[in-house]
Amino acid sequence: MARILAVDWDGVEVRFVLGSILKDRLIVSNVGSAPIEVAAEEAAAMAESDEEDDFAPSVSDVDEDENEDDGVVETVEKEYIPRMPVADDEDEDDEETSSDPTVVSTVRKASFKNSPIATTLKKLLHQRRVGSATLCYTASRGDLDVMYMTIPNASESETPELIFNQALRDSLTFNENQPLDFMTLGTPDSPKKTGFRKVAAVSIARDKLRRIRETLAGAYHTPAKIELREPSLAEFLRADFCGLSYEEPVMLVQELCDEANLTLCYQKSVLYFRSFKILPDSTPAERAERIREEIVRTLAVGIDDLPEDATVNRALFFTDYARPKLETEEADDDDAPDCVATILERLLEEEEIQLDFLNPFRLAGMRVKTQEPECSGRYASLIGVLLAERPQNKPLVDLLHPHEKPKPPNFTLLFVAYFLVVILAAAGFYFWNKSDLQKLNAELDALEKNRQQVIAEYNQKAPPFNVLMNANNWQNREGVIVLDELRDIATRLPKSPDLVVTRLAYMARYTGNVSQIQGRPVFIISAKITGLDVYRQFKLNMEYGGAHKVVSNLPTNNPGGGGYTHMFEAFIVCQRRNFNSLLAVQPNEIKQISGNPPEYYVEREKEQKRLIAEAQEKNFKDASALAENSNEILNGDPAASPGEGEGETPASTIEQDKEYYQKLVQVQAELQKNFANVRNLANNGALTTEQFNNLRALYNGKNAEIAKKQQAVSVRVQVKTDEALLENSRKTLDSVREEAKAATPQADEKLRQTLLQYRRVLEYVFQRTQLRLQNGLIDQKVFDEAKDKYLKEVEEVVKEFNEVSARIGARNPQNAAQQQPAAPAEGQPAPEQPAAPAEGQPAPEQPAAPAEGQPAPEQPAAPAEGQPAPEQP
């Protein structure tokens, strides 16, 4: 019974669970945790101590070759940076440049064996007297790169190569030297139903892998396995002896010190998983609210593989909190302690999700030989790692032993021997059965002769069969019966002896030179007539009521005579027509039995209506899906990405904001293009009026969201542009201040001009802030903060300007009054409503230092209704 040590850590503490796994139970022999900050204070003493650990295996026996990462870019520490030679080195001393033409710089990799985490873990394992065991580490999402992808349902031998190639193509950080493993998402029967397989590919950078290995080697030993933390929670459902069984989908929730893990499972299959950061010092209410928000967000994207009628209305929270048993029915839940579990339960009740509490150390089939730790829910992933080591099971993801394509065996010698044996056996078989082969050849000749006879018979009988088959298809497809059409044609012919039919034939598919009737079934009639008026009467009768279409040349002279002066040949094409036109020339007994439409037409109309309704529903779903695709771009704002602090706005660069703005423009154009297609579908009857109205409301809503997001991004770009302009001016002023320390007249004059230019830039930036307030793009609080900062900087500039002017006046008292310009009014900002710039000369977004005087700002738009004008600073 092997002992397994599961270890993980976050930004606050390290944890471990030591146990052994059998087929039907789990034995936990040791468990513990320690805060990283407390143990880090004793890191130096632990590193300098030469005391040998009697309970943990020695670190010295770790194979150093396993930690070597050839070809991986590491953070290096250079002792000396050489100077590159340039063309102006001719003035340098020749001895100095030629003495050592080659400069060597030493580079060494930083070691993590004495890091605070390694020291903390080593001290913890030493205190808890942990002996030798197989080490398994559960990595967090911060150290890994997880890629969700959809691949064809290939065989197990082809799947690793497909995922490897797609990761190289789609990922910007993955390279072929990194370890890569994957796990299948969704139910086991979904690949057979859809033909595609959803997988989560996991990779880790070589430098991060070295850091993990060295950290664990400095504390205990090189890890045997590196697994993913979130999927290990599903092992509680996969282990039958734990007694957990959910027929409906369930969300598994684990709360750590500074992060939380979510895993969506259906029965024993993992559908989706993710993790997110939580502030360690946040209150239970804030932590519960953050977990609820992420559960709702996860359910919005993680249930694609569920059946259509399946909903997620149950969650499982790993915690040591147990729901109290109420003695009476009138008892209230307000007596429960105010912790994350109780608050989260109340919050999820609003989302119609029932929350169950589970202590991972109190499951059926589990034996704990040590004291149960506090916050037992933090050890759920570690216990899941132990459950994954069952004899009949294996971890879902192991970066040290990933799934690989099996190497094909070398069958070269076997193939050569096989072909030699086959050739020798064939030769012996031929000479042994030569007489039998001659008999078989005679039979083959007889069969060939019989085949030729069958082909000749087929060629003879195929044309009439094709005619009958085409006539039958004509009847099944268009409802035209050949015998009825022949009878209709016979009743419409002029009476004899004015017209004598010499030929009447049926062609199932016309292949002649007349393009009007190419490929259509036609009747061919040849006749002799006594005059041209008979031919005109023939065409009128045939085309009466739109029954037939007659294609023919004009009659020609009949050389035979006998009273028939002309003859003609015509092609009669049967048209689709109302049955009344057919009955108009039929006898009364046929009219009496033809009052009801044929069942064929009724069924066909029903089928057509059903097909149209299905097409409309499909078009509606496709158009709705195209509109919902914009959510990915709307949620991809670089300044609103999850994982940051609760009240902290993530930083984004101007380039990122501009790139995101272009994406919003592209999505808006694509949305308008898709709505134009929707309008065309509605005009062509491919969408109902109700469906079109719903789609129009959906597209208008998405367009409004995109426009709002564009406005917000534009404001961010403007603010950052102004900040960059102000920062450049401030750097210029600082450099001039350094030069003015020499106290020369030229330096003081330059400093005074630079202060004037810096003052104009301050006014320009503040004017743009006023414009944003008037246009309703920022609130009054943001404007007040900018105003206070502006007044403070103006006051400093005015003070320094007066000091420089005083020094200049002291040097030249006579011309001081003429040369010294008046100092700008202290604390006086730009006017609230600046004048419009000259026509054709707008204020540039990124101007150079403006000329002396007041720059013309952009003409602000009228303030929004109800928005007060900003105070005069």
Side-chain angles (χ1 to χ4, degrees), residues 479-523:
V480 178
I481 302 175
V482 177
L483 295 180
D484 290 345
E485 297 299 331
L486 284 173
R487 181 174 56 188
D488 187 22
I489 291 174
T491 56
R492 294 171 182 265
L493 291 175
K495 302 300 181 182
S496 179
D498 294 337
L499 182 142
V500 176
V501 177
T502 59
R503 181 193 175 202
L504 181 60
Y506 168 73
M507 181 179 292
R509 187 179 182 85
Y510 178 76
T511 57
N513 298 326
V514 182
S515 60
Q516 301 176 359
I517 57 176
Q518 281 287 343
R520 302 189 62 181
V522 297
F523 293 95

Side-chain angles (χ1 to χ4, degrees), residues 86-135:
V86 296
D88 297 335
D89 286 342
E90 296 176 358
D91 298 332
E92 300 290 339
D93 190 8
D94 295 339
E95 296 180 357
E96 210 174 16
T97 57
S98 61
S99 61
D100 188 10
T102 303
V103 180
V104 179
S105 63
T106 61
V107 179
R108 65 173 181 270
K109 295 182 179 179
S111 177
F112 298 93
K113 292 184 178 180
N114 296 324
S115 62
I117 297 177
T119 306
T120 302
L121 183 59
K122 183 177 181 180
K123 180 175 179 295
L124 176 63
L125 297 178
H126 179 76
Q127 292 177 350
R128 300 294 295 182
R129 303 178 67 86
V130 176
S132 61
T134 302
L135 179 60

